Amino acid sequence: MPKRIQFNSYGGPEVLCYCDCEPPALGPRDVLVRNHAIGLNYIDTYYRGGLYPVPALPSGLGTEGAGVVEAVGAEVSRFKAGDRVAYASGPLGAYAEYHALPESAPVRIPDTVSFEQAAAVMLKGLTVQYLLRQTYPLRGGETILFHAAAGGVGLIACQWAKTLGVKLIGTAGNAEKAALARAHGAWEVVDMSREDFVARVHELTGGEKCPVVYDSVGRDTWERSLDCVAPRGLMVSFGNASGSVTGVDLGILSRKGSLYVTRPTLAHYANTPERLAEMSAELFALIGAGLLRVEINQRFPLAEAAAAHTALQSRRTTGSTVLVP
């Protein structure tokens, strides 16, 4: 029987079970993908832990993968069996040998992009696309702050910002991670183990601060990140690695410079198949041109998904991690 990862209750990595499952049923507008590689993302831990409730338990996990279309529903017109595809959204359940998705979820991947690259880059790369190209459309010459610059999203952002002519100030947890972010195009990196990021941003910008700050850390950095945003600038809070930002006092935005704040998600940017295809094409073009390297620094068998979650949450990973069925 096919295998998948599921969880029967919320909790730590130990709740993940490598189980037999029935082959996914296909609706008339669904495609069945045989996964060759599966992406690991921090958001997966939010679902597993209950921060983001799932529709019902037991539940599958994961939203990102790449593989070959095995079968299609009777009304599917965009794909056929044998197509190479990748996806970053859809119903939970990507941590599996086979995954059924609505026809609107996958995109074709060019021959220049491997299954592992696609699985490692879809969610992270599309996140960077909407952050840098849509949420705050960077045009070149800006100096920005991007937290967790040595993570999977961060390393892509470092490279993409450099191609745009943007000076990216990154933060990283130690000297080794700071060096990794620099090697991927960060203009400067703040080593959070020994430096104050607010003071360094003020120093690097001559007190001007940044027109936009990207923060995926959440609770631990939220308020101090606001001190790095220039007057009338934008604070982009797009993750909760240290916990959710709660109890926000809107008056603080006024006191710190009439700031703007947004909490974006990919689903509201890649909200049509056409838009998803456009965003993916830009991402794949950068990879094909050699301007964006996909750093897969960890690989785990699908059966060891719990170990992968432990490594991710203990901050022992850099770049991207993939699960291999």
Side-chain angles (χ1 to χ4, degrees):
M1 291 184 71
K3 295 282 192 178
R4 77 165 186 167
I5 295 292
Q6 71 177 41
F7 58 107
N8 301 322
S9 61
Y10 297 120
E14 70 280 356
V15 303
L16 299 180
C17 171
Y18 185 56
C19 306
D20 291 331
C21 64
E22 294 293 332
L26 280 187
R29 300 196 65 82
D30 289 343
V31 298
L32 181 65
V33 178
R34 181 180 181 183
N35 284 326
H36 286 232
I38 299 152
L40 177 74
N41 296 286
Y42 213 95
I43 193 173
D44 302 342
T45 70
Y46 300 159
Y47 285 110
R48 186 209 70 220
L51 178 63
Y52 293 172
V54 300
L57 292 171
S59 174
L61 190 60
T63 60
E64 179 182 47
V68 174
V69 174
E70 189 84 359
V72 301
E75 298 178 16
V76 170
S77 59
R78 297 178 59 239
F79 299 100
K80 64 183 185 305
D83 284 346
R84 300 174 75 248
V85 297
Y87 55 90
S89 62
L92 292 176
Y95 286 22
E97 293 178 341
Y98 294 90
H99 191 30
L101 297 156
E103 182 184 16
S104 59
V107 295
R108 286 184 179 82
I109 53 177
D111 292 339
T112 53
V113 178
S114 72
F115 291 122
E116 285 198 356
Q117 285 178 315
V121 82
M122 278 293 287
L123 184 57
K124 300 174 185 70
L126 293 178
T127 296
V128 174
Q129 198 282 341
Y130 81 71
L131 289 174
L132 304 191
R133 304 287 282 149
Q134 298 185 71
T135 304
Y136 189 99
L138 295 167
R139 292 177 170 82
E142 300 94 342
T143 300
I144 68 173
L145 175 64
F146 205 104
H147 283 292
V153 171
L155 291 182
I156 295 171
C158 289
Q159 297 174 77
W160 205 318
K162 187 173 182 180
T163 71
L164 295 171
V166 170
K167 294 180 177 180
L168 183 146
I169 303 170
T171 66
N174 55 47
E176 181 181 5
K177 289 187 174 183
L180 185 64
R182 286 192 186 91
H184 284 76
W187 177 60
E188 289 288 351
V189 185
V190 181
D191 178 352
M192 299 277 273
S193 68
R194 61 182 184 85
E195 296 179 292
D196 178 86
F197 75 86
V198 175
R200 282 290 286 147
V201 166
H202 285 224
E203 177 186 353
L204 291 167
T205 62
E208 295 295 319
K209 300 187 280 189
C210 301
V212 60
V213 169
Y214 299 97
D215 191 336
S216 62
V217 177
R219 181 177 58 206
D220 289 355
T221 53
W222 155 258
E223 195 158 334
R224 304 203 73 225
S225 288
L226 294 176
D227 290 328
C228 298
V229 184
R232 300 186 306 281
L234 177 64
M235 170 71 174
V236 183
S237 176
F238 69 100
N240 315 293
S242 66
S244 298
V245 176
T246 59
V248 176
D249 172 15
L250 289 180
I252 199 171
L253 302 178
S254 173
R255 294 192 295 273
K256 292 184 181 292
S258 296
L259 307 182
Y260 295 87
V261 64
T262 185
R263 182 61 173 86
T265 64
L266 175 61
H268 295 140
Y269 284 88
N271 58 343
T272 67
E274 294 76 20
R275 190 72 195 112
L276 173 62
E278 290 173 8
M279 294 168 65
S280 300
E282 185 175 8
L283 173 64
F284 294 149
L286 287 176
I287 297 171
L291 297 173
L292 197 160
R293 303 193 312 276
V294 183
E295 298 288 340
I296 304 171
N297 295 335
Q298 299 81 212
R299 291 174 176 83
F300 290 84
L302 177 60
E304 298 178 15
H309 274 226
T310 298
L312 180 66
Q313 290 190 277
S314 60
R315 302 191 179 183
R316 297 201 308 267
T317 65
T318 58
S320 296
T321 301
V322 295
L323 306 175
V324 182

